[in-house]
Amino acid sequence: MKIVATASNNGWRWSFLFPHLSSSSSLRKATLPLPIKLRLHPFKANNNIVASSNAKQANLFASKTQRVKLPVYDDTFKDKGDDGQPYHISQFLSHPSGIQAILNTRALENFELLDTNAYRCTLPKLALFNFEASPVLDLRVIPTKEDCIVELFSCKFKGSEVVERQNDHFSATMINHITWDTNMSEPFLEVDVKLNLCLEFLLGLLNFKIFRLLIYTRPFILLPTSAVEGPGNIMIQALLDRLVPLLLQQLVQDYSNWVQLQKQLIN
């Protein structure tokens, strides 16, 4: 995924590109308006962000539940004794191919195993002004025969000293609960995603190493925390509404590819 920020008369617009998910242009790009204006001023200062007693925390939340029909394959739901059902969705999600599909590793810059069921995922760099940052996500994947839970337990930004300093003012948690029902006439797969973000922001002036950044919304310094949380919640909800169906669609496609590969290996 590539994230690009562009200016407009109404503020900043964020474009989210997903070239790995679909060849269709309608699925590859989503653009979200963010009604917060940024004004830049050349500035020569020290390397530190100016401390402020006006620091506040904005807590953002979004959730999305999506269900999709599971394909039915030969022998998928037949009893195979102690070995279970070889093509069942639970077998796929416990397989390394299924773990990679859940984490969408094709879209990552780097993917590594941290510990049992724990993985570090480095996303492609995103650019804003003269800065570049690579989001680094630590996730835990716990698959069972009944469900699969994906938990985000760390989110950091990797880049310059200025960029990495922002990690002290930002935190994120996410739970993705994946369930299924294969006993119905139309088996389905369902995901339930809950995302929480905590942002510390300064009402007023921030001094950075390269430039001075003034955030304002006529005037920003007088706005309550809800003025940040309102647009922020709308933005991340729109992001989940766009991402979850695409990722679920890709997960089912990867499941189908895995089943076909297993059949070829058996034959």
Side-chain angles (χ1 to χ4, degrees):
M1 179 177 70
K2 182 179 181 182
I3 303 177
V4 181
T6 57
S8 71
N9 292 334
N10 297 323
W12 287 90
R13 303 184 69 85
W14 297 81
S15 295
F16 303 88
L17 308 181
F18 314 104
H20 60 285
L21 291 177
S22 173
S23 58
S24 172
S25 59
S26 62
L27 294 178
R28 294 177 60 189
K29 182 176 181 180
T31 303
L32 305 175
L34 180 62
I36 296 179
K37 299 181 180 179
L38 305 177
R39 178 186 296 164
L40 298 182
H41 302 268
F43 186 71
K44 295 181 179 179
N46 57 40
N47 295 343
N48 299 320
I49 298 178
V50 174
S52 171
S53 60
N54 292 325
K56 292 188 176 183
Q57 283 190 344
N59 297 299
L60 311 182
F61 173 78
S63 64
K64 177 69 174 178
T65 301
Q66 186 83 18
R67 179 180 293 187
V68 66
K69 180 180 178 181
L70 269 177
V72 178
Y73 302 101
D74 293 340
D75 298 328
T76 299
F77 306 113
K78 293 182 180 179
D79 184 10
K80 294 295 179 180
D82 294 337
D83 293 335
Q85 301 163 340
Y87 304 145
H88 195 274
I89 184 66
S90 62
Q91 297 293 329
F92 169 64
L93 296 179
S94 299
H95 191 272
S97 297
I99 300 296
Q100 293 179 24
I102 292 172
L103 299 177
N104 198 17
T105 57
R106 285 173 300 215
L108 303 177
E109 287 290 331
N110 190 44
F111 168 69
E112 59 182 300
L113 177 66
L114 293 179
D115 201 346
T116 304
N117 296 329
Y119 307 87
R120 175 159 294 167
C121 303
T122 303
L123 277 65
K125 291 181 179 180
L126 59 88
L128 178 62
F129 306 118
N130 293 326
F131 293 106
E132 287 188 344
S134 296
V136 179
L137 312 179
D138 291 344
L139 299 114
R140 184 174 292 107
V141 182
I142 306 175
T144 71
K145 293 183 178 180
E146 290 77 30
D147 63 3
C148 180
I149 296 177
V150 183
E151 177 187 5
L152 172 68
F153 60 89
S154 176
C155 179
K156 302 291 184 182
F157 290 97
K158 182 179 179 181
S160 67
E161 180 183 352
V162 173
V163 168
E164 294 186 0
R165 194 180 294 131
Q166 307 314 305
N167 291 323
D168 297 331
H169 308 283
F170 167 84
S171 64
T173 60
M174 183 274 297
I175 294 289
N176 180 9
H177 189 200
I178 305 174
T179 56
W180 52 83
D181 193 334
T182 60
N183 296 319
M184 300 178 62
S185 57
E186 293 187 358
F188 66 84
L189 179 70
E190 182 177 281
V191 298
D192 181 17
V193 181
K194 292 180 172 59
L195 174 64
N196 291 274
L197 300 178
C198 181
L199 308 174
E200 182 180 287
F201 60 95
L202 302 179
L203 298 183
L205 193 63
L206 304 181
N207 290 333
F208 289 91
K209 178 178 180 181
I210 300 179
F211 55 77
R212 186 168 62 179
L213 179 62
L214 180 62
I215 306 179
Y216 68 97
T217 50
R218 300 179 183 178
F220 187 79
I221 193 170
L222 299 178
L223 293 181
T225 302
S226 59
V228 175
E229 292 178 336
N233 285 331
I234 293 173
M235 186 183 74
I236 64 172
Q237 184 62 59
L239 178 60
L240 279 190
D241 290 344
R242 185 67 175 175
L243 272 178
V244 169
L246 292 174
L247 295 175
L248 186 55
Q249 175 187 349
Q250 186 65 54
L251 184 60
V252 172
Q253 182 60 52
D254 289 338
Y255 172 47
S256 177
N257 295 339
W258 178 79
V259 170
Q260 298 306 319
L261 178 59
Q262 299 308 304
K263 290 184 176 182
Q264 291 176 11
L265 293 175
I266 293 176
N267 296 332

